[in-house]
Amino acid sequence: MTERLWGLLGPEKLATTRRTRTLDMSRAVRRFNERAVPGTGGLWFGRQAYLTALSVVVAERVTARGLRCSNIEMANAIEAIACMIAFDSHGRVTDPRLRGRNKLPADGAPTFAVARQRGFHVAQPMRMSTAQALPFLGLAHAAGSRFNTFSSTDAAMPFIEACADTEKVGKHKSVVDHLENWAVNGPLSFNNAELRTALDPTRPLPASACKLLRFAVEEGGALDPADRTRRQNAWRWVARLQASTTVADHIDHPAGPPELDADHWHDVRAGAYLFRVRDAANAVLDSVEGILATRQGRAKVPVDGALCRDVAPQLTQLAEHARAFLALGHHDDEANRFSRECEAGDADTLRALLRRDDHVLRLLDDCAQPGPAYTGQPPALPQDNGDPQEETGLDAYAPSLPAGRSYRLRNLYLLHMDLHGLLGPKIDAARAAAAGVSA
């Protein structure tokens, strides 16, 4: 099994060599996502923030009692049991808010020693993309960029208590106490109704928790004032679009929505245009892969000549997108350099793309050749959004957003839905409709 990982959630079992095709553009992609909606990472529903903040607090408690436990281990363990509880409650249904349906056991609660192990939960849990949002929501202090350096803030416990929606879990214990005891002494009972209520990721957040998280989104935590204003304005924009349920703002319109200032809209548009360039570049390389796959072992093709002619339509499309990005006059040097490499639409562009790939395909002796992750079967997989995990299949829940915009805007739209009690019913209705079609 192989995959192309564009910063997205991959399958739960990964091959030793993973298909990656970032084209050395991940940093630029992250910058444009951050400019669109600062400080939210991959957060798209409220309980992601709750489970990750909860893990930091419990890890601190456990460490204070002398047991070595990292934030990552605790977050993976708590997310795993939260998903197990939901699968047990809802019949192991497919739900974008859950991970590990085909991997997590269905036979009772694991010990913490088991749940903390690297291979117990999925390879890319929700924590990987949502943890970075905590400092910018005021729910964690970050001594560094790594999640293991995070510590809890004074705002974390009130938020956790509001999300848990119950004063006690078990015998006179809060959810934090209960999980601390599980980590230090064990065991954990899935028969505990309060625990199930407190941890199920698919349950709607209580009104008090929604209020706290809305305040965190708008006030910005560790964000600087300019980024705080950007996020507030983006929040106002998605709120209007959600209320109108019509596409009010096209990404190609120079004049943006009234909620965003000119610089913000310019960044949103430029990001969308850059994503078009990136996707078109990938289409070129996918075509090259297809050509190599038909050569029955003679997988070495000169760039000049037939190969360049065979992918000429894709190169022409790429050049058009690249010129459109450059015409915007954006200041991102890395994005401009990439687009200039792509605008020629000839063998030099193809060489530049092969050099940038150098993993699935590579340039050697002026020929396109397979790289270590080459399979001969180019997959049609989602593109890189610049975060270690990004959920797929969610665009249907945000139909009024303009096409091509940063996925962070879609996630903010979904978070707004969640904090207004609209997301869960939408997901449930979609699942029921899908079941009806397949029946």
Side-chain angles (χ1 to χ4, degrees):
M1 181 185 298
T2 57
E3 68 195 291
R4 181 191 306 138
L5 291 179
W6 282 100
L8 303 189
L9 178 70
E12 293 165 5
K13 294 183 179 180
L14 302 178
T16 302
T17 300
R18 302 199 300 185
R19 292 177 59 91
T20 60
R21 182 169 281 158
T22 67
L23 300 180
D24 200 26
M25 287 298 294
S26 291
R27 291 185 303 274
V29 170
R30 282 194 295 270
R31 283 195 297 273
F32 278 101
N33 286 324
E34 187 68 15
R35 288 166 182 154
V37 185
T40 55
L43 182 68
W44 63 275
F45 69 99
R47 285 196 179 269
Q48 289 175 314
Y50 159 58
L51 291 174
T52 310
L54 176 62
S55 67
V56 174
V57 171
V58 177
E60 289 175 338
R61 293 275 196 94
V62 170
T63 300
R65 293 181 62 173
L67 180 67
R68 291 189 61 183
C69 175
S70 70
N71 288 344
I72 288 176
E73 289 175 316
M74 184 60 71
N76 291 352
I78 290 177
E79 183 178 321
I81 63 168
C83 290
M84 290 176 69
I85 285 171
F87 287 132
D88 184 64
S89 297
H90 309 301
R92 302 192 78 81
V93 297
T94 299
D95 192 299
R97 295 164 294 184
L98 303 177
R99 298 283 177 273
R101 185 169 70 99
N102 296 323
K103 182 172 186 180
L104 291 171
D107 54 355
T111 65
F112 178 69
V114 170
R116 75 189 296 182
Q117 293 176 5
R118 183 185 296 271
F120 181 74
H121 195 25
V122 293
Q124 292 185 301
M126 291 181 279
R127 177 269 310 166
M128 290 183 68
S129 65
T130 57
Q132 62 183 288
L134 292 190
F136 302 106
L137 295 171
L139 297 175
H141 295 298
S145 61
R146 295 183 179 276
F147 180 48
N148 278 341
T149 69
F150 286 14
S151 59
S152 62
T153 63
D154 291 341
M157 274 305 300
F159 176 61
I160 289 168
E161 290 168 350
C163 291
D165 197 26
T166 179
E167 289 187 11
K168 303 296 180 184
V169 175
K171 295 181 179 180
H172 313 296
K173 294 180 182 295
S174 69
V175 65
V176 173
D177 294 333
H178 202 82
L179 292 171
E180 176 189 349
N181 184 68
W182 170 58
V184 175
N185 301 310
L188 192 71
S189 173
F190 279 179
N191 294 323
N192 186 320
E194 292 85 2
L195 180 70
R196 299 173 80 89
T197 296
L199 292 182
D200 186 343
T202 67
R203 290 183 59 85
L205 284 178
S208 57
C210 290
K211 182 178 179 180
L212 289 174
L213 191 50
R214 281 197 301 268
F215 179 82
V217 169
E218 295 189 80
E219 290 307 309
L223 288 175
D224 64 39
D227 283 345
R228 182 179 295 111
T229 297
R230 279 204 169 198
R231 195 161 76 187
Q232 290 169 345
N233 291 341
W235 185 254
R236 290 169 49 228
W237 182 32
V238 300
R240 174 174 62 82
L241 291 179
Q242 190 178 118
S244 67
T245 67
T246 60
V247 178
D249 311 289
H250 197 283
I251 207 69
D252 291 323
H253 290 170
E259 293 84 0
L260 307 189
D261 63 35
D263 287 342
H264 194 175
W265 180 242
H266 185 53
D267 284 339
V268 170
R269 289 187 73 210
Y273 279 42
L274 178 64
F275 303 155
R276 292 175 184 174
V277 179
R278 174 206 61 192
D279 295 352
N282 238 19
V284 171
L285 293 172
D286 281 350
S287 295
V288 173
E289 279 193 80
I291 291 169
L292 292 182
T294 65
R295 294 179 64 85
Q296 298 179 346
R298 296 171 57 203
K300 178 180 178 180
V301 184
V303 169
D304 278 320
L307 179 61
C308 196
R309 291 194 299 272
D310 288 343
V311 298
Q314 292 83 1
L315 285 169
T316 299
Q317 186 70 56
L318 171 60
E320 291 175 0
H321 287 310
R323 284 191 287 270
F325 174 83
L326 292 168
L328 291 177
H330 198 275
H331 57 78
D332 192 289
D333 291 338
E334 194 171 1
N336 285 322
R337 183 167 58 253
F338 175 60
S339 295
R340 283 192 294 270
E341 291 175 5
C342 294
E343 71 171 328
D346 58 15
D348 285 339
T349 292
L350 190 50
R351 290 185 182 96
L353 295 181
L354 290 167
R355 290 189 189 100
R356 282 180 174 270
D357 184 349
D358 201 39
H359 187 58
V360 179
L361 297 174
R362 58 179 42 169
L363 182 69
L364 189 63
D365 299 329
D366 206 40
C367 293
Q369 298 193 28
Y374 174 81
T375 66
Q377 297 179 333
L381 294 181
Q383 304 300 321
D384 179 20
N385 284 319
D387 280 322
Q389 171 209 323
E390 163 49 18
E391 181 62 70
T392 60
L394 296 178
D395 282 352
Y397 301 116
S400 55
L401 279 170
R405 73 288 171 272
S406 167
Y407 84 98
R408 291 249 190 124
L409 285 163
R410 182 209 63 202
N411 283 6
L412 195 68
Y413 185 104
L414 299 181
L415 183 60
H416 189 278
M417 288 181 66
D418 190 39
L419 299 189
H420 288 81
L422 302 174
L423 182 60
K426 281 275 190 181
I427 292 174
D428 293 341
R431 182 169 55 246
V437 168
S438 62

